[in-house]
Amino acid sequence: MRVAIIGTGYVGLVSGTCFAEIGHSVTCVDKDEGKIAGLLKGKLPIYEPGLEEMVRTNAEAGRLSFTTDLKAAVSTAEVVFIAVGTPARAADGQADLSYVFAATGEIARAVQGYTVIVTKSTVPVGTGDAIERIIRRENSGATVSVVSNPEFLREGAAVDDFMKPDRVVVGSNSQQARAVMAELYRPLTGNASPILFAGRRTAELIKYTANAFLATKITFINEIANLCEAVGADVREVANGIGLDNRIGGKFLQPGPGYGGSCFPKDTLALLRTAQDHGITLRLVEDTVAVNDARKRAMARKVIDAVGGSVEGMTVAVLGLTFKPDTDDMRESPSLSLIEALQRGGATVRAHDPVGTEQARRYLDDVEFFDDPYACVASADAVVLMTEWDSLRQLDLRRVRGLVRQPVFVDLRNAYRSDTVERFGFRFTGIGLGAEQVTLDGHALPTAVEEPSMLPVFHSPVPRGQGELYPSPIVA
């Protein structure tokens, strides 16, 4: 099929390339002449594992092309995807749809014959209706169907997610449009991946709901990590213990410094604004946003406590800057809040990231960047592991110990075992790792259970045999 992708950012470039990979003829359009010039030379504007080679292969095969000429690309396309940015507005947090609406107007004036116009960008509920109104206004004779087809791509695994989707969501009540979308995705959904057909507004809401739920799951385990530190428990074992329950699952239960990136922060805010516009209160999502913001700020306090209560005049080496591994995305990265707070506390910050340094320079001032992690940690008073890149999970700790000024290692991703790091003479701080004692002879008990008489006794609120569980009194 002939496909036009408007926007060559993260979603547009990955989607367009993958559509070409499965055999469609794809033209990616962008107004940024510099970006298109780079793509024509094989230079990608984003980092995503496996994408560069796929772009090169499909461009050489003639299935993938790049242009600034929207009219030419749209006029011959059967399906046109809108994949432009929808950043959060500074004033109220709602998604800024100005790029979506501007692209829609141009598309409306360029379409010829029946065309399916698809919103791939993450947009609030009702955006498809607004797109239809713009098309009718700009070209009343256009024969189009407007479809919602949200993306579910994880940065760092986007190519695999597109090629092996859990599901493909198509929001449209038009049987003709549904048939076109089914044919478009047929190479991906012929085996195990289902297409979920829904109403357009429902599809728009599915995307926001999915991201809000995942953000809530991350925030929940981060709060449990705080409790683990207080009571002497290990959050990793707690997460494993609940994740083995197939009703919960183990994904997104890794504690850390808070979520970031291009999706969760803006999408949770946009969902809240949509709810408020309709007189609905989403208390759980509100708390998720607030707790996550506080979580990012609290990480600096964890580093400060690890070095004795003040970083004034100290040098802190931050390893990993992007919000997650295998991406160069710095948007809403927890490292930004951490570094800014450390600098306010009087610290000198040095930083290393395997691929994110170029992007990080746009967000951070007065930071010395290093291409090599060992050069970064030299003479540091504290080493902070911020992003769990594979290369940073396999540091030569003996070498690091010989380079630092003070042996303080703060692991905000629990990438290392505390006993492994401490064996090299470091003072180790992790996330949610309470100081629980483990013994074989039973003589040493954790502090939390040294006074059995102080423990509460829990009874089931329902008679025996009528509930799922009937807890006995806790016995030390």
Side-chain angles (χ1 to χ4, degrees):
M1 300 180 73
R2 297 183 304 278
V3 179
I5 308 282
I6 313 304
T8 59
Y10 192 87
V11 173
L13 185 57
V14 171
S15 299
T17 303
C18 289
F19 277 131
E21 178 72 11
I22 62 176
H24 300 301
S25 177
V26 180
T27 303
C28 291
V29 182
D30 204 291
K31 284 184 172 295
D32 188 331
E33 294 182 358
K35 187 183 291 187
I36 293 298
L39 285 165
L40 290 171
K41 295 176 182 177
K43 182 180 179 181
L44 275 59
I46 61 171
Y47 174 81
E48 180 64 31
L51 185 61
E52 184 173 1
E53 175 63 19
M54 191 177 282
V55 168
R56 184 188 64 77
T57 300
N58 283 282
E60 290 177 352
R63 291 187 299 269
L64 180 64
S65 60
F66 304 97
T67 183
T68 58
D69 190 345
L70 181 146
K71 182 177 181 180
V74 169
S75 64
T76 59
E78 299 164 81
V79 184
V80 178
F81 283 88
I82 300 173
V84 297
T86 55
R89 293 192 304 231
D92 59 4
Q94 183 58 281
D96 182 351
L97 299 177
S98 57
Y99 300 112
V100 172
F101 293 155
T104 299
E106 291 190 54
I107 293 167
R109 293 187 290 273
V111 291
Q112 294 182 16
Y114 178 71
T115 308
V116 177
I117 299 175
V118 186
T119 51
K120 200 69 170 171
S121 303
T122 300
V123 296
V125 177
T127 301
D129 300 347
I131 288 173
E132 279 193 343
R133 289 194 293 271
I134 292 172
I135 294 170
R136 285 198 299 269
R137 182 189 69 207
E138 297 294 330
N139 185 355
S140 59
T143 307
V144 302
S145 294
V146 177
V147 172
S148 172
N149 176 218
E151 54 85 16
F152 300 98
L153 307 179
R154 295 169 299 161
E155 293 191 45
V159 171
D160 205 44
D161 285 346
F162 192 100
M163 301 300 287
K164 302 173 184 177
D166 294 324
R167 77 290 198 197
V168 174
V169 176
V170 174
S172 174
N173 290 322
S174 163
Q175 292 303 316
Q176 187 176 6
R178 289 186 175 192
V180 169
M181 296 299 288
E183 177 62 21
L184 182 72
Y185 278 103
R186 182 176 52 79
L188 301 180
T189 58
N191 297 321
S193 304
I195 290 188
L196 171 62
F197 291 108
R200 193 168 58 207
R201 288 185 166 226
T202 299
E204 290 169 342
L205 189 55
I206 285 172
K207 168 64 176 179
Y208 278 114
T209 304
N211 279 356
F213 183 83
L214 295 174
T216 301
K217 197 172 182 182
I218 292 170
T219 304
F220 175 80
I221 200 63
N222 281 338
E223 291 217 300
I224 295 300
N226 292 341
L227 181 60
C228 287
E229 293 176 7
V231 304
D234 188 327
V235 71
R236 297 168 300 184
E237 295 175 8
V238 172
N240 188 46
I242 65 173
L244 290 172
D245 185 331
N246 59 20
R247 296 170 301 176
I248 298 172
K251 293 182 178 179
F252 288 83
L253 286 179
Q254 292 72 41
Y259 61 76
S262 63
C263 293
F264 288 0
K266 76 177 182 65
D267 290 354
T268 48
L269 286 176
L271 183 61
L272 287 177
R273 296 300 174 261
T274 298
Q276 291 168 358
D277 289 345
H278 290 81
I280 301 298
T281 300
L282 299 180
R283 188 73 66 200
L284 188 59
V285 181
E286 289 177 358
D287 289 344
T288 293
V289 172
V291 170
N292 189 67
D293 287 343
R295 178 77 176 177
K296 293 180 182 179
R297 295 192 298 270
M299 293 301 99
R301 172 51 56 187
K302 186 175 282 288
V303 175
I304 292 169
D305 289 344
V307 297
S310 173
V311 291
E312 180 74 39
M314 292 187 177
T315 298
V316 179
V318 178
L319 301 180
L321 297 170
T322 55
F323 84 98
K324 64 182 291 188
D326 296 322
T327 178
D328 63 349
D329 198 341
M330 286 293 301
R331 286 173 288 184
E332 302 290 339
S333 175
S335 68
L336 301 176
S337 298
L338 174 89
I339 290 173
E340 290 167 2
L342 291 175
Q343 288 175 328
R344 287 197 302 271
T348 297
V349 177
R350 319 174 99 200
H352 162 77
D353 191 277
V355 303
T357 299
E358 183 178 347
Q359 294 295 326
R361 291 182 190 277
R362 303 178 183 182
Y363 292 86
L364 295 167
D365 296 320
D366 300 322
V367 173
E368 189 176 5
F369 296 97
F370 292 83
D371 294 330
D372 178 71
Y374 299 102
C376 181
V377 303
S379 301
D381 296 289
V383 176
V384 181
L385 181 64
M386 196 69 196
T387 311
E388 67 278 31
W389 288 88
D390 284 345
S391 61
L392 300 180
R393 296 169 65 97
Q394 304 171 43
L395 293 170
D396 181 343
L397 295 176
R398 189 185 305 279
R399 182 180 175 187
V400 174
R401 178 65 183 88
L403 292 170
V404 297
R405 184 159 47 213
Q406 291 193 60
V408 176
F409 194 101
V410 182
D411 183 354
L412 297 181
R413 297 289 184 175
N414 287 350
Y416 288 87
R417 288 178 55 90
S418 59
D419 56 351
T420 299
V421 179
E422 289 167 352
R423 188 162 62 243
F424 291 93
F426 286 97
R427 300 196 303 273
F428 180 84
T429 299
I431 296 288
L433 307 180
E436 183 173 12
Q437 293 176 319
V438 179
T439 66
L440 295 177
D441 55 16
H443 293 302
L445 289 174
T447 302
V449 295
E450 285 178 354
E451 300 289 343
S453 62
M454 299 298 291
L455 291 172
V457 176
F458 294 95
H459 296 284
S460 171
V462 296
R464 185 184 296 273
Q466 295 185 22
E468 280 189 38
L469 298 173
Y470 190 84
S472 299
I474 294 176
V475 178

